[in-house]
């Protein structure tokens, strides 16, 4: 087990190193940010030079790279190219806002997906199963922006029940959370159904029935714990997808979180912020993956016990 | 131990059978006219042992599951009634499952919840059926493990199923089945997933438990040997129907139904080697290219060390010296994990030895990429247990053979050569256009063999080629292999865990144990007069339907060995009935004996001549 944790952690660190370097390279080779920020024709060359020096763009690439690493370790990721504020500060104030959205979405998607998937598996082939599967396909196929805009039209414009966009009250949360949770809950439902069906077909469930255990005991003791192992993996990997999904949803509902920050920064070529956000997203994904691996090992005695 | 309350009722009504099935039919829910089991009636006399035997798909397991009302969701019992002491059992079998009738299954590893330790598994059942909790339940769990002869019972309580061997897991399942003190035990292929030696141990355990507890047994198996060993009444099933029911002695001595008779006749020992020899009347198959002479194989000091599993070193092969003569068929037997497959893979160059070398036809076997390797791969072919995994699902059989003929530029007339090959393996021309999934198991294996023969190999390694096939099909495929080996002038290695099968096709047999050859010699000599204690044990684990051969059995103690934990001295000494002090420190070498036999055993070294094992029996 210790050996397993060690190997996985090393792997996560290596992945992180690669990502950090790739981010640096990709963002530098796509063009000089100063040129795209300032109107080149009308700006005097001295001004352009001044900006380049301010953001260290005048240094050779390797020096920039070293400086970039130093920045990561000191928690200083430079200043916004647009308004000159500290990047870390800008991002830090947005994080809780996005976390609030993601946290509720996570809860909602499990609350929808798990019971629906289990119910479908237990009633395989019945109308319940067909209903859940049809809903899951629809929920997954419907793009987030379509669903979002439809909801805004219905609940905000026509019925005037909910605020169409913004942030602050619990009412503001409802539509973004539903939009995200529908898509991911649908996938969770399908995976849950498949995982439960898989375990239901295993001989140890038949054996438990032959031993005289009641159905709910078999569910609690044989089926759910064994189905949880693949599910934990999938759900962990979803954390990454959730971040991607939140970009769209935050934009539609004007939710002032990280996703929206990313969109505005990319549009404004605010290199410093984009770079920091990419690193943040990657770090989250790598961390989620590591947690999934560890959870998997912990849940699985065949890995946990061996060592 | 308490006497089960109901057995007294059984004694008073001696003529009511303990368990009876009347007119049982099982059908698909969606298509009621397609019956998987039709009109089956069976009786288990009180305390008796009823064997249900048949080939795969004959409905024997469904019959057994119906007793517990545990049919898979897509099927339902469409007619019939199951009675316990004359009383019909209610759907759901409440109060019956695990308490009055218990059940064990085929693959003991898979029938246990991988997330539960043995202790909670057993004490949970004790609590469910007897209401004991806490320390009392745990004590009972230990007692149950003792009663299934599990060594170090208390220490096992904390083990997970994956930490136990297959045989040990089956013991735990049996212990669990005994928790409710049932009067009947249903066993569905309880030993099929186990090694022959472990199978013998489990069957002995079942017999002892029956005697101790007066428990009735319903045993389902495809293996007549197992049924003959454990049942006193036998029902033979075919395509969902019972074709013959009789007391065991009578069924095995005087089978009435032709199907029973043909199944019994296809058991390898009864076939004998003679019929294989007489059947070789087909003319040698002419080779289109320059006919090649058979070549021999020579392995020297062959070892293979795996270091994959964590830091554990697995000595899969330990210094094997062996010569296979041109045109000879060498059989290789041994328990699971003894290194048979590793040996086979090395011989065809699919894997590299850690040390030692192999020569094929006098030339060293090169395992490198490029021309030399392709050529040597052409000379050497391997046939595996599972034909589906090696056949291309998207190409017809004929197409696949032609493709091989073209790649290796064997002949220009690929079409007629392909038909010849199909004929050589007893497939018809019409099979050429079929896809793998459209063939039966036996036909698929024939197709694989035809494709292997297409490159005109000189050496073919067969790794368990018939183990996945039904008994009657096994016999045909073995016969076919014996036949092509002559016609194609092949040198062959035939690997199997079943010494009866090996003996039938092989000239010589090598017996492997923990990566070494412990005995090698002419097939009939090894089969009839084994000298090494391990070979003797392997042979005595062979179950026979012939009551005369079933008397003297020396059952091997302990589990099949783990090559990651190599014992000192003679690798067999922890299980050997004749182990002496010397065996623990000194590893015996293969010593030449009379009539080209070699044995690695200190006890055999000192004997002047081998005891005639079968004559003594
Ligand atoms: N690639 C591998 N990595 C690690 N260990 C291996 C590998 N291949 C085989 N082994 C180990 O080597 C030993 C011999 O394996 P092998 O497959 O040759 O056994 P076998 O006699 O063919 O058994 P069976 O009857 O089950 O097919 C086993 O303990 C196996 O676990
Ligand atoms: S050498 Fe000893 S332990 Fe090994 S087989 Fe012979 S008698 Fe048994
Ligand atoms: Mg093998």
């Amino acid at each position: 087990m210790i050996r397993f944790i060690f190997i996985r952690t090393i792997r996560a660190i290596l992945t992180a190193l690669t990502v950090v370097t790739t981010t640096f390279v990709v963002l530098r080779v796509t063009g000089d940010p100063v040129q795209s920020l300032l109107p080149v024709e009308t700006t005097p060359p001295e001004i352009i030079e001044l900006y380049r020096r301010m953001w260290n763009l005048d240094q050779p690439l390797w020096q920039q790279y070293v400086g970039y690493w130093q920045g990561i370790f000191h928690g200083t990721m430079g200043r916004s190219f647009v308004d000159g504020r500290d990047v870390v500060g800008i991002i830090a104030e947005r994080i809780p806002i996005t976390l609030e959205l993601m946290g509720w979405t996570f809860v909602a998607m499990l609350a929808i997906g798990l019971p629906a998937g289990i119910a479908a598996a237990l009633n395989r082939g019945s109308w319940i199963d067909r209903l859940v599967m049809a809903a899951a396909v629809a929920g997954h196929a419907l793009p987030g922006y379509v669903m979002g805009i439809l909801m805004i039209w219905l609940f905000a414009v026509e019925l005037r029940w909910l605020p169409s966009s913004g942030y602050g009250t619990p009412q503001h949360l409802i539509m973004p959370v539903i939009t995200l949770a529908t898509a991911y809950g649908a996938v969770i439902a399908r995976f849950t159904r498949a995982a439960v069906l898989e375990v239901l077909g295993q001989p140890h469930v038949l054996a438990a029935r032959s031993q005289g255990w009641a159905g709910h005991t078999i569910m609690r003791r044989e089926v759910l714990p064994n189905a949880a192992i693949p599910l934990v993996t999938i759900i962990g990997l979803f954390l990454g997808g959730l971040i991607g999904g939140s970009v769209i949803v935050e934009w539609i509902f004007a939710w002032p979180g990280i996703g929206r920050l990313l969109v505005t920064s990319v549009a404004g070529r605010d290199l410093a912020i984009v770079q920091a956000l990419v690193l943040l997203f990657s770090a989250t994904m790598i961390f989620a993956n590591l947690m999934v691996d560890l959870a998997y090992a912990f849940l699985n005695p065949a890995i946990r016990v061996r060592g | 131990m308490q006497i089960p309350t109901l057995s007294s009722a059984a004694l008073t009504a001696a003529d009511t059978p303990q368990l009876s099935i009347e007119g049982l039919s099982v059908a698909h829910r969606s298509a009621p006219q397609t019956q998987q089991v039709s009109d089956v009636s069976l009786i288990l006399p009180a305390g008796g042992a009823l064997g249900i035997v048949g080939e795969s798909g004959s409905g024997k397991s469904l019959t057994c599951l119906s007793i517990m009302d545990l049919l898979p969701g897509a099927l339902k019992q469409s007619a019939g009634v199951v009675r316990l002491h004359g009383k019909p059992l209610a759907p759901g079998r409440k109060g019956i499952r695990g308490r009055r009738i218990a059940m064990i299954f085929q693959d003991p590893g898979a029938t246990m919840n991988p997330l539960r330790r043995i202790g909670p598994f057993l004490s949970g059942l004790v609590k469910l059926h007897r209401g004991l909790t806490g320390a009392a339940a745990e004590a009972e769990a230990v007692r149950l493990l003792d009663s299934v002869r599990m060594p170090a019972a208390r220490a096992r309580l904390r083990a997970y199923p994956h930490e136990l061997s297959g045989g040990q897991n089956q013991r735990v399942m049996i212990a669990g089945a005994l928790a409710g003190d049932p009067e009947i035990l249903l066993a569905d292929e309880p030993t099929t997933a186990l090694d022959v030696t472990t199978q013998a141990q489990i069957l002995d355990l079942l017999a002892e438990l029956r005697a101790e507890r007066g428990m009735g047994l319903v045993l389902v198996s495809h293996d007549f040997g197992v049924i003959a060993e454990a049942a006193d009444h036998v029902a033979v099933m075919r395509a969902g129907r019972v074709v013959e029911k009789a007391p065991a002695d009578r069924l095995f001595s005087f089978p009435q139904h032709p199907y029973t008779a043909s199944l019994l006749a296809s058991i390898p020992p009864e076939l004998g080697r003679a019929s294989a020899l007489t059947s070789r009347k087909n003319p040698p198959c002419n080779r289109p290219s320059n006919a090649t002479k058979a070549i021999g194989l020579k392995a020297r000091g062959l070892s293979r060390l795996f270091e994959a599993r964590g830091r554990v070193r697995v000595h899969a092969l330990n210094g094997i010296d062996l010569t296979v003569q041109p045109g000879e068929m060498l059989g290789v037997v041994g328990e699971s994990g003894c290194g048979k497959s590793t040996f086979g893979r090395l011989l065809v160059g699919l894997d590299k030895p850690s040390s030692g070398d192999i020569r094929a036809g006098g030339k060293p076997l090169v395992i490198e990429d490029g021309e030399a390797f392709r050529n040597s791969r052409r000379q050497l072919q391997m046939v595996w247990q599972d034909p589906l995994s090696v056949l291309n699902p998207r190409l017809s059989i004929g197409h696949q053979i032609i493709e091989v003929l073209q790649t290796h530029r064997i002949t220009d007339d690929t079409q007629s050569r392909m038909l010849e090959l199909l004929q050589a393996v007893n497939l018809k021309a019409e099979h050429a256009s079929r896809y793998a999934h459209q063939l039966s198991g036996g036909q698929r294996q024939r197709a694989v063999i035809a494709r292997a023969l297409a490159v005109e190999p000189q050496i073919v390694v067969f790794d368990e080629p018939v183990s996945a096939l039904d008994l009657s099909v096994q016999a045909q495929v073995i016969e076919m292999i014996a036949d092509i080996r002559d016609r194609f002038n092949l040198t062959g290695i035939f690997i199997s865990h079943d010494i009866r099968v090996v003996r039938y096709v092989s000239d010589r047999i090598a017996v492997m144990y923990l990566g070494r050859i412990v005995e090698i010699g002419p097939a009939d000599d090894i089969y009839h007069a084994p000298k090494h204690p391990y070979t003797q044990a392997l042979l005595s684990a062979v179950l026979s339907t012939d009551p005369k051969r079933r008397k003297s059995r020396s059952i091997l103690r302990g589990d099949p060995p783990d090559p990651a934990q190599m014992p000192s001295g003679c690798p067999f000494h922890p299980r050997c009935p004749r182990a002496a002090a010397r065996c623990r420190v000194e590893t015996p070498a293969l010593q030449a004996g009379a009539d080209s036999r070699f044995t690695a055993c200190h006890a055999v070294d000192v004997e002047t001549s081998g005891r005639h094992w079968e004559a003594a029996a």
Side-chain angles (χ1 to χ4, degrees):
Chain A
M1 180 75 179
I2 290 173
R3 191 180 141 80
F4 179 87
I5 295 179
F6 180 74
I7 293 177
R8 293 304 156 126
T9 312
I10 293 287
R11 217 160 78 181
I13 291 174
L14 286 180
T15 318
L17 291 183
T18 319
V19 167
V20 169
T21 306
T22 317
T23 314
F24 176 82
V25 173
V26 168
L27 290 181
R28 300 302 133 134
V29 297
T30 49
D32 185 342
V34 176
Q35 296 198 350
S36 46
L37 265 177
L38 305 173
V40 181
E41 293 79 36
T42 55
T43 321
E46 313 89 71
I47 305 281
I48 292 191
E49 268 316 296
L50 188 76
Y51 273 95
R52 303 187 122 219
R53 221 169 310 132
M54 202 167 104
W55 291 316
N56 298 334
L57 293 172
D58 56 339
Q59 292 172 359
L61 212 55
W62 69 267
Q63 263 183 20
Q64 289 185 40
Y65 185 63
V66 172
Y68 164 77
W69 270 109
Q70 283 168 344
I72 292 177
F73 279 110
H74 293 133
T76 52
M77 303 280 298
R79 297 187 168 275
S80 162
F81 287 15
V82 175
D83 61 8
R85 289 178 57 208
D86 179 36
V87 166
V88 174
I90 296 180
I91 294 179
E93 68 192 25
R94 305 283 193 118
I95 288 181
I97 304 180
T98 290
L99 278 185
E100 188 181 344
L101 175 63
M102 282 180 45
W104 284 109
T105 305
F106 197 70
V107 172
M109 103 189 165
L110 294 185
I112 300 171
L114 293 179
I118 293 172
L122 290 183
N123 298 288
R124 185 182 194 177
S126 73
W127 63 269
I128 300 182
D129 187 17
R130 284 198 294 274
L131 181 76
V132 168
M133 291 314 286
V137 170
H140 182 61
L142 199 65
Y145 54 88
V146 175
M147 170 121 178
I149 289 167
L150 280 179
M151 279 209 298
I152 291 177
W153 170 76
L154 181 65
F155 294 114
V157 180
E158 290 293 318
L159 298 172
R160 295 177 177 276
W161 288 354
L162 295 170
S164 69
S165 63
Y167 164 77
T169 68
Q171 282 90 333
H172 282 105
L173 260 173
I174 294 178
M175 284 200 292
V177 165
I178 290 181
T179 310
L180 271 178
T182 313
Y184 290 103
V187 185
I188 297 273
R190 276 175 33 193
F191 274 114
T192 306
R193 177 181 181 273
V196 170
L197 278 181
E198 157 96 33
V199 178
L200 281 177
Q202 283 169 4
H204 65 86
V205 174
L206 181 65
R209 291 174 65 203
S210 83
Q211 285 152 1
W213 291 108
H216 59 87
T217 313
I218 294 178
M219 205 57 203
R220 174 168 51 81
R221 202 182 267 160
E222 310 275 326
V223 181
L224 295 182
N226 279 291
I229 295 178
L231 278 180
V232 164
T233 316
I234 295 293
I235 291 172
L237 297 179
F238 267 31
L239 281 179
L242 260 184
I243 299 178
S246 73
V247 173
I248 297 170
V249 167
E250 286 189 3
W251 185 251
I252 300 172
F253 294 101
W255 188 264
I258 303 254
R260 199 174 163 85
L261 178 63
L262 180 70
V263 179
T264 43
S265 309
V266 168
R269 282 205 67 84
D270 198 337
L271 191 66
I273 292 186
V274 173
Q275 177 174 292
L277 284 179
V278 170
L279 293 184
L280 177 68
F281 289 173
S282 320
T284 317
M285 300 271 266
I286 293 170
F287 184 71
N289 273 322
L290 182 63
M291 287 299 118
V292 164
D293 278 350
L294 299 189
Y296 184 79
F298 182 74
L299 289 174
N300 200 338
I303 301 179
R304 171 162 34 109
V305 175
R306 198 161 275 154
Chain B
M1 217 208 66
Q2 302 156 289
I3 297 162
T5 45
L6 271 135
S7 62
S8 50
L11 287 177
T12 53
D15 43 347
T16 358
Q18 195 172 14
L19 182 78
S20 63
I21 300 173
E22 292 158 22
L24 175 81
S25 294
V26 173
H28 267 278
R29 271 184 206 284
S30 51
Q33 64 281 5
T34 55
Q35 293 197 335
Q36 303 292 313
V37 171
S38 345
D39 197 20
V40 165
S41 297
L42 294 171
I43 282 174
L44 174 70
L50 170 68
I52 307 179
V53 65
E55 298 192 282
S56 70
S58 60
K60 51 193 190 310
S61 289
L62 293 180
T63 305
C64 192
L65 288 171
S66 303
I67 298 172
M68 293 289 249
D69 193 15
L70 282 175
L71 288 172
L75 301 177
K76 67 166 201 282
Q77 181 179 333
S78 52
V81 57
V82 179
R83 294 176 194 272
L84 187 63
H85 299 292
K87 285 208 226 37
L89 294 177
R93 306 291 189 264
K94 214 161 182 303
I96 302 290
R97 287 182 190 166
R99 193 160 307 181
R100 297 183 59 192
I101 309 179
M103 186 161 183
I104 57 173
F105 300 83
Q106 174 165 348
D107 183 353
T111 37
M112 304 191 63
N113 183 346
L115 306 180
R116 264 187 122 202
R117 296 177 195 267
I118 307 308
F121 166 74
L122 288 175
S123 37
L125 284 168
V126 169
K127 177 168 181 231
L128 177 70
H129 294 304
R130 307 232 200 110
L132 298 178
T133 52
E138 188 173 305
E140 183 61 19
V142 174
R143 209 190 57 80
L144 285 170
L145 284 178
D146 282 334
S147 70
V148 295
R149 331 281 187 252
M150 177 78 105
R154 185 165 287 279
R156 304 289 182 192
L157 294 181
R158 292 192 51 76
Y160 282 100
H162 76 266
E163 297 173 273
L164 302 182
S165 70
Q168 288 172 336
N169 273 325
Q170 194 60 294
R171 284 177 199 270
V172 173
M173 284 307 289
I174 296 174
L178 298 179
D181 209 350
E183 52 180 300
I184 297 174
L185 181 66
L186 311 180
D188 187 356
E189 304 268 10
T191 58
T192 308
L194 307 175
D195 257 310
V196 273
T197 50
T198 317
Q199 162 164 296
Q201 293 172 356
I202 295 291
L203 290 178
D204 268 26
L205 173 65
L206 290 178
E208 285 169 32
L209 291 173
R210 270 188 63 210
E212 279 168 19
R213 303 179 165 233
M215 199 168 57
L217 175 71
V218 177
L219 176 70
V220 171
S221 179
H222 69 287
D223 186 337
F224 271 104
V226 169
I227 296 286
E229 183 71 25
D232 38 48
H233 278 74
V234 183
V236 182
M237 285 190 71
R238 177 192 202 181
R241 294 179 183 277
V242 174
V243 295
E244 181 164 2
K245 298 185 261 208
D249 297 346
R250 203 168 76 210
L251 186 112
F252 290 116
S253 312
F254 311 104
Q256 297 297 307
H257 197 281
Y259 179 67
T260 315
S262 76
L263 279 184
L264 282 172
S266 49
I267 298 172
E270 275 72 1
L271 262 174
R273 275 180 61 76
S275 92
L277 294 170
T278 52
S279 77
R280 291 180 196 172
K281 47 189 177 284
N282 292 325
C285 199
N286 56 323
R287 289 165 177 265
S289 56
N290 305 338
T292 30
K293 281 216 329 267
I295 58 173
L297 263 179
K298 197 172 201 134
R300 253 195 332 213
L302 210 57
S303 294
R304 181 69 172 96
L305 181 68
F306 291 109
E307 293 183 273
R309 271 191 278 162
R311 261 176 252 121
V312 187
R313 294 153 68 88
V314 178
H315 290 266
L317 282 187
N318 269 309
I320 290 204
D321 291 304
L322 179 76
T323 306
V324 187
Q325 299 300 333
E328 182 186 24
M329 181 71 97
L330 177 79
V332 178
V333 284
E335 286 166 290
S336 174
C338 72
K340 308 183 292 291
S341 297
T342 307
F343 184 46
R345 277 201 306 275
L346 286 176
L347 288 183
V348 294
L350 288 176
D351 188 13
K352 271 192 196 176
S354 314
S355 63
D357 62 18
I358 306 168
R359 287 169 165 268
K363 288 199 284 290
L365 195 69
V366 254
I367 306 164
E368 276 156 36
D369 303 320
E371 195 66 17
F373 179 60
R374 263 224 306 288
N375 278 332
S376 67
R377 285 286 296 120
R378 230 194 84 186
Q379 286 178 357
L380 310 165
Q381 288 288 312
M382 186 140 185
V383 173
W384 317 85
Q385 174 172 346
D386 177 16
L388 256 195
S389 62
V390 293
L391 288 171
N392 186 336
R394 276 181 288 275
L395 288 182
S396 71
I397 300 303
H399 200 130
Q400 292 183 50
I401 296 177
I402 288 181
E403 208 175 63
V404 171
L405 290 170
Q406 282 167 348
T407 331
H408 293 278
R409 301 200 193 86
I410 305 288
T411 168
D412 291 333
D413 191 2
T414 52
Q415 180 70 23
S416 58
R417 180 65 185 161
M418 180 268 286
L419 292 174
E420 266 173 48
L421 286 165
L422 287 184
Q423 200 194 357
V425 296
N426 297 337
L427 284 178
K428 299 202 184 69
E430 70 196 54
H431 291 123
S433 56
R434 300 258 188 99
Y435 292 86
H437 71 269
Q438 296 169 318
L439 297 174
S440 72
Q443 289 168 336
R444 275 179 210 141
Q445 195 59 289
R446 289 169 195 274
V448 170
I449 293 174
R451 200 182 59 176
L453 291 176
V455 300
E456 296 175 6
Q458 290 164 304
I459 295 168
V460 181
V461 173
F462 300 89
D463 188 356
E464 307 265 8
V466 297
S467 306
L469 305 178
D470 262 332
L471 201 60
S472 55
V473 184
Q474 266 191 25
Q476 295 161 7
V477 174
I478 294 171
E479 190 122 4
M480 184 272 285
I481 290 176
D483 176 47
I484 54 157
R485 120 49 199 318
D486 274 12
R487 292 168 61 192
F488 286 77
N489 211 6
L490 296 175
T491 304
I493 310 286
F494 192 103
I495 299 171
S496 175
H497 66 280
D498 189 339
I499 195 166
R500 297 171 300 177
V501 170
V502 165
R503 170 222 173 194
Y504 179 66
V505 283
S506 313
D507 303 307
R508 277 194 306 157
I509 295 180
V511 182
M512 285 184 64
Y513 192 82
L514 274 177
R516 293 169 207 269
I517 293 181
V518 294
E519 180 159 22
I520 183 168
D524 283 340
D525 294 353
I526 298 278
Y527 193 79
H528 290 298
K531 285 186 184 158
H532 195 282
Y534 177 63
T535 318
Q536 292 174 352
L538 259 191
L539 272 158
S540 84
V542 167
L543 303 169
S544 175
T545 54
D546 178 358
K548 288 196 293 290
R549 285 193 104 249
R550 241 186 298 146
K551 287 191 197 110
S552 76
R553 290 250 316 258
S554 73
I555 286 197
L556 215 48
R557 291 166 291 147
D559 284 312
D562 178 0
Q565 283 155 15
M566 196 62 70
S568 63
C570 172
F572 186 54
H573 86 253
R575 298 167 85 194
C576 180
R578 298 167 71 185
R582 183 184 174 197
C583 306
R584 272 183 281 278
V585 285
E586 200 181 322
T587 312
L590 259 186
Q591 299 277 338
D595 44 280
S596 64
R597 291 181 65 172
F598 295 81
T599 312
C601 171
H602 297 311
V604 173
D605 291 350
V606 296
E607 287 172 13
T608 43
S609 67
R611 199 162 48 96
H612 203 271
W613 180 76
E614 202 183 41

